[in-house]
Amino acid sequence: MTPGARLQSAIGILTGIFETRQPADRAFDAWARSSRFAGSKDRAAVSEIVFSVLRHRAQLAAATGSDAPQLLAFAAIALLQGEGADAAAARADGTPHAPSPLTDDETAALRAAALPGPDAPPWVRLNYPEWLHPEFEAALGNSLEAEMAALMERAPTDLRVNALKATRDRAMALLADENVETEPTPLSPWGLRLTGRANILGLASFRDGVIELQDEGSQLACLATGVTPGEQVVDLCAGGGGKSLALAAMMRNRGQVHACDTDARRLGKLMPRAQRAGIRNIQTRTLGRFAPGAADADLADLEARMDCVLVDAPCSGTGAWRRNPDARWRIDPETLAGYRAAQSEVLARAARLLRPGGRLVYVTCSMLPSENEKQVEAFQAAHTDFAAMPWRSLWPADIAPPPHANDGAYLRLTPGSAGTDGFFIAILRREG
């Protein structure tokens, strides 16, 4: 592909993302599948333009005075890739598959464009919606600039070593034999971090269940549950089951993990993963709708019996913006309100399942207080028999020391402070 064709492809992908709010990874994958002529270097170049625009959309819009995907893509090449306005505009030469030549107004805007300086508002310089600024400011305080800058960086690719099949050192050696170089993650005892690129799903180590893709922060959330062999555990929002697999491995295949979700399609992927990992103590169940004031037919047999319920709640995903930079532009007040309502509902559903002395572990990949501390406070106000536990109280010190993080009841992980995705973890014990 020519440079112009790469740029035009990026503009087409961005236009679809802006118009339909389709997740960027799906839009890019759809383009790649339909563009068999594009080699690996072409795909990498197109991806670089697309995701540069999504990470820096507010900056580029302020620089050009426009939110049109075409001009933002040209500005990304001119300002972020350092080609300059004239070189970027030269890609629009009217040749087949290249963009049409820029208009005089577009050319003038591109030549005048400059990235916002230090006096620009933080939501412009650091690329997040202005309406979320009060929440981020309340959550991050003096760390706001550093943390929001960290959320603009690319996330590393982390793996979790399946402790039922290999030690971390053994897994590193197996991966090295497949020409995949890794290094230990600094916080999780199970974690490996890629130091280069690799097709993880095509590796023998993956097919044999030695490794799984999982961010280090997600691994730490599993450790914080403190699950032990023989316990009865519910993963109430299991999705594809990444945390269920980690919990089952912590339990050494003894006891039971009940992996539950309302999405049968996603949950259906779990049992093949469990079989590959050598895990035998997981069972799945698909859940229907829940009404807090009515009986819960789907989970009636588990009520007041569980030692631990993990609620990996649906949320805004603001802590994972490094991986999904387009998500920062899809969130709106109505969507956030919907997440908060879902969080309240799933917490109420979880409360019924715990025996006296059992614990509820509430986890989000959000950095917003309205989804984190405020949700826990509202839950405790409605469920006075639940008391917050310090997050270190259940940490399995025989597996790994707890991370150096904040004191208090809640564990907060952020890209800037921990190098992980943003996570919030609260542990609530049922008294009586």
mmCIF file of all heavy atoms in Angstrom, residues 221-240:
data_model
loop_
_atom_site.group_PDB
_atom_site.id
_atom_site.type_symbol
_atom_site.label_atom_id
_atom_site.label_comp_id
_atom_site.label_asym_id
_atom_site.label_seq_id
_atom_site.Cartn_x
_atom_site.Cartn_y
_atom_site.Cartn_z
ATOM 1 N N ALA A 221 -6.460 -8.412 41.549
ATOM 2 C CA ALA A 221 -7.837 -8.448 42.059
ATOM 3 C C ALA A 221 -8.207 -9.862 42.498
ATOM 4 O O ALA A 221 -8.893 -10.052 43.517
ATOM 5 C CB ALA A 221 -8.808 -7.943 40.997
ATOM 6 N N CYS A 222 -7.751 -10.866 41.759
ATOM 7 C CA CYS A 222 -8.023 -12.252 42.151
ATOM 8 C C CYS A 222 -7.292 -12.607 43.446
ATOM 9 O O CYS A 222 -7.856 -13.251 44.339
ATOM 10 C CB CYS A 222 -7.610 -13.198 41.025
ATOM 11 S SG CYS A 222 -8.623 -13.036 39.537
ATOM 12 N N LEU A 223 -6.057 -12.177 43.577
ATOM 13 C CA LEU A 223 -5.307 -12.436 44.805
ATOM 14 C C LEU A 223 -5.998 -11.800 46.009
ATOM 15 O O LEU A 223 -6.021 -12.377 47.106
ATOM 16 C CB LEU A 223 -3.881 -11.908 44.667
ATOM 17 C CG LEU A 223 -2.929 -12.781 43.844
ATOM 18 C CD1 LEU A 223 -1.707 -11.984 43.440
ATOM 19 C CD2 LEU A 223 -2.520 -14.021 44.639
ATOM 20 N N ALA A 224 -6.571 -10.615 45.813
ATOM 21 C CA ALA A 224 -7.212 -9.901 46.924
ATOM 22 C C ALA A 224 -8.417 -10.645 47.482
ATOM 23 O O ALA A 224 -8.808 -10.426 48.627
ATOM 24 C CB ALA A 224 -7.623 -8.498 46.485
ATOM 25 N N THR A 225 -9.021 -11.543 46.695
ATOM 26 C CA THR A 225 -10.169 -12.302 47.203
ATOM 27 C C THR A 225 -9.771 -13.253 48.319
ATOM 28 O O THR A 225 -10.611 -13.649 49.133
ATOM 29 C CB THR A 225 -10.837 -13.120 46.086
ATOM 30 O OG1 THR A 225 -9.938 -14.150 45.642
ATOM 31 C CG2 THR A 225 -11.253 -12.238 44.913
ATOM 32 N N GLY A 226 -8.510 -13.678 48.320
ATOM 33 C CA GLY A 226 -8.055 -14.610 49.345
ATOM 34 C C GLY A 226 -8.716 -15.972 49.303
ATOM 35 O O GLY A 226 -8.763 -16.671 50.320
ATOM 36 N N VAL A 227 -9.229 -16.410 48.148
ATOM 37 C CA VAL A 227 -9.908 -17.710 48.097
ATOM 38 C C VAL A 227 -8.927 -18.831 48.410
ATOM 39 O O VAL A 227 -7.733 -18.747 48.096
ATOM 40 C CB VAL A 227 -10.583 -17.947 46.733
ATOM 41 C CG1 VAL A 227 -11.681 -16.927 46.477
ATOM 42 C CG2 VAL A 227 -9.570 -17.948 45.607
ATOM 43 N N THR A 228 -9.421 -19.888 49.028
ATOM 44 C CA THR A 228 -8.592 -21.021 49.429
ATOM 45 C C THR A 228 -9.239 -22.323 48.985
ATOM 46 O O THR A 228 -10.449 -22.376 48.724
ATOM 47 C CB THR A 228 -8.402 -21.040 50.960
ATOM 48 O OG1 THR A 228 -9.689 -21.092 51.586
ATOM 49 C CG2 THR A 228 -7.655 -19.808 51.443
ATOM 50 N N PRO A 229 -8.451 -23.393 48.898
ATOM 51 C CA PRO A 229 -9.015 -24.691 48.494
ATOM 52 C C PRO A 229 -10.179 -25.103 49.387
ATOM 53 O O PRO A 229 -10.141 -24.939 50.610
ATOM 54 C CB PRO A 229 -7.823 -25.645 48.643
ATOM 55 C CG PRO A 229 -6.623 -24.774 48.426
ATOM 56 C CD PRO A 229 -6.990 -23.455 49.053
ATOM 57 N N GLY A 230 -11.223 -25.622 48.731
ATOM 58 C CA GLY A 230 -12.380 -26.124 49.463
ATOM 59 C C GLY A 230 -13.516 -25.132 49.603
ATOM 60 O O GLY A 230 -14.613 -25.518 50.010
ATOM 61 N N GLU A 231 -13.302 -23.864 49.269
ATOM 62 C CA GLU A 231 -14.359 -22.862 49.433
ATOM 63 C C GLU A 231 -15.401 -22.958 48.319
ATOM 64 O O GLU A 231 -15.158 -23.514 47.245
ATOM 65 C CB GLU A 231 -13.760 -21.459 49.472
ATOM 66 C CG GLU A 231 -13.010 -21.159 50.755
ATOM 67 C CD GLU A 231 -12.699 -19.679 50.915
ATOM 68 O OE1 GLU A 231 -12.197 -19.056 49.941
ATOM 69 O OE2 GLU A 231 -12.958 -19.140 52.002
ATOM 70 N N GLN A 232 -16.551 -22.362 48.623
ATOM 71 C CA GLN A 232 -17.611 -22.188 47.639
ATOM 72 C C GLN A 232 -17.595 -20.728 47.199
ATOM 73 O O GLN A 232 -17.759 -19.824 48.021
ATOM 74 C CB GLN A 232 -18.974 -22.538 48.239
ATOM 75 C CG GLN A 232 -19.145 -24.021 48.531
ATOM 76 C CD GLN A 232 -19.247 -24.840 47.253
ATOM 77 O OE1 GLN A 232 -19.978 -24.488 46.327
ATOM 78 N NE2 GLN A 232 -18.501 -25.938 47.199
ATOM 79 N N VAL A 233 -17.380 -20.507 45.894
ATOM 80 C CA VAL A 233 -17.125 -19.173 45.365
ATOM 81 C C VAL A 233 -18.037 -18.913 44.175
ATOM 82 O O VAL A 233 -18.245 -19.806 43.338
ATOM 83 C CB VAL A 233 -15.648 -19.026 44.934
ATOM 84 C CG1 VAL A 233 -15.392 -17.664 44.301
ATOM 85 C CG2 VAL A 233 -14.718 -19.257 46.125
ATOM 86 N N VAL A 234 -18.578 -17.713 44.095
ATOM 87 C CA VAL A 234 -19.351 -17.280 42.928
ATOM 88 C C VAL A 234 -18.607 -16.138 42.244
ATOM 89 O O VAL A 234 -18.209 -15.170 42.897
ATOM 90 C CB VAL A 234 -20.769 -16.812 43.318
ATOM 91 C CG1 VAL A 234 -21.448 -16.117 42.132
ATOM 92 C CG2 VAL A 234 -21.610 -17.985 43.774
ATOM 93 N N ASP A 235 -18.399 -16.273 40.945
ATOM 94 C CA ASP A 235 -17.943 -15.165 40.097
ATOM 95 C C ASP A 235 -19.196 -14.690 39.372
ATOM 96 O O ASP A 235 -19.621 -15.292 38.400
ATOM 97 C CB ASP A 235 -16.869 -15.652 39.130
ATOM 98 C CG ASP A 235 -16.300 -14.544 38.253
ATOM 99 O OD1 ASP A 235 -16.763 -13.388 38.366
ATOM 100 O OD2 ASP A 235 -15.390 -14.820 37.452
ATOM 101 N N LEU A 236 -19.795 -13.608 39.883
ATOM 102 C CA LEU A 236 -21.163 -13.264 39.493
ATOM 103 C C LEU A 236 -21.245 -12.595 38.124
ATOM 104 O O LEU A 236 -22.284 -12.659 37.481
ATOM 105 C CB LEU A 236 -21.786 -12.358 40.562
ATOM 106 C CG LEU A 236 -23.302 -12.173 40.504
ATOM 107 C CD1 LEU A 236 -24.037 -13.503 40.504
ATOM 108 C CD2 LEU A 236 -23.773 -11.323 41.671
ATOM 109 N N CYS A 237 -20.197 -11.947 37.686
ATOM 110 C CA CYS A 237 -20.169 -11.309 36.359
ATOM 111 C C CYS A 237 -18.976 -11.877 35.604
ATOM 112 O O CYS A 237 -18.038 -11.163 35.260
ATOM 113 C CB CYS A 237 -20.064 -9.796 36.487
ATOM 114 S SG CYS A 237 -21.323 -9.033 37.520
ATOM 115 N N ALA A 238 -19.018 -13.177 35.340
ATOM 116 C CA ALA A 238 -17.828 -13.894 34.897
ATOM 117 C C ALA A 238 -17.391 -13.547 33.483
ATOM 118 O O ALA A 238 -16.210 -13.646 33.162
ATOM 119 C CB ALA A 238 -18.069 -15.400 35.014
ATOM 120 N N GLY A 239 -18.331 -13.155 32.612
ATOM 121 C CA GLY A 239 -17.944 -12.878 31.234
ATOM 122 C C GLY A 239 -17.303 -14.091 30.605
ATOM 123 O O GLY A 239 -17.815 -15.211 30.667
ATOM 124 N N GLY A 240 -16.117 -13.896 30.011
ATOM 125 C CA GLY A 240 -15.391 -15.006 29.403
ATOM 126 C C GLY A 240 -14.661 -15.877 30.389
ATOM 127 O O GLY A 240 -14.098 -16.914 30.012
#
